[in-house]
Amino acid sequence: MKDLDENCTNVENPQGVEVLCIGTENSELSIENISGQTVYYLVIEQRTLALIDIDPDYTTWLSMEMDETVTIPYTDIIGYDETATEAWITWVLEEDETGGSITIEL
């Protein structure tokens, strides 16, 4: 599996399969889909997470195809403001419907 750069962290699902490579730089979050499947995902500021209901229908979430990389400015993270220090990322793989989540520092 490839890394975006040395600041990228490979994230596995509970079955030990690498799913995403996540990095932060210059007030942007980069997420690379290394799973080989379509991935549905959400990125939410950590404190905001306690205040919202997440739609359990993951097919309504953002999605990315295999090998696709998305770049998300911090200002586009749900609930982000200048005091935010962490974001929560959750994902579901389309084919086998496994998923997971991780909290990252911004």
Side-chain angles (χ1 to χ4, degrees):
M1 301 296 164
K2 59 184 176 178
D3 286 344
L4 293 170
D5 57 42
E6 66 274 0
N7 296 322
C8 180
T9 301
N10 285 354
V11 181
E12 299 178 345
N13 68 7
Q15 293 73 30
V17 175
E18 290 183 328
V19 177
L20 303 172
C21 189
I22 300 171
T24 59
E25 189 173 7
N26 299 324
S27 298
E28 292 182 328
L29 174 67
S30 293
I31 306 173
E32 180 182 6
N33 177 357
I34 57 175
S35 71
Q37 301 181 42
T38 298
V39 172
Y40 293 91
Y41 68 96
L42 290 174
V43 182
I44 303 170
E45 189 276 328
Q46 182 65 33
R47 295 169 300 179
T48 303
L49 185 59
L51 304 174
I52 62 173
D53 290 326
I54 298 172
D55 188 344
D57 179 6
Y58 65 84
T59 62
T60 65
W61 301 357
L62 300 170
S63 66
M64 50 192 306
E65 300 302 318
M66 63 181 120
D67 299 322
E68 182 178 358
T69 299
V70 295
T71 302
I72 303 166
Y74 287 176
T75 54
D76 288 350
I77 295 171
I78 298 169
Y80 178 85
D81 67 29
E82 63 278 349
T83 65
T85 59
E86 295 180 315
W88 181 74
I89 301 168
T90 188
W91 67 87
V92 175
L93 299 174
E94 181 177 56
E95 291 175 28
D96 59 20
E97 296 186 334
T98 61
S101 65
I102 187 171
T103 300
I104 61 157
E105 289 187 34
L106 299 176

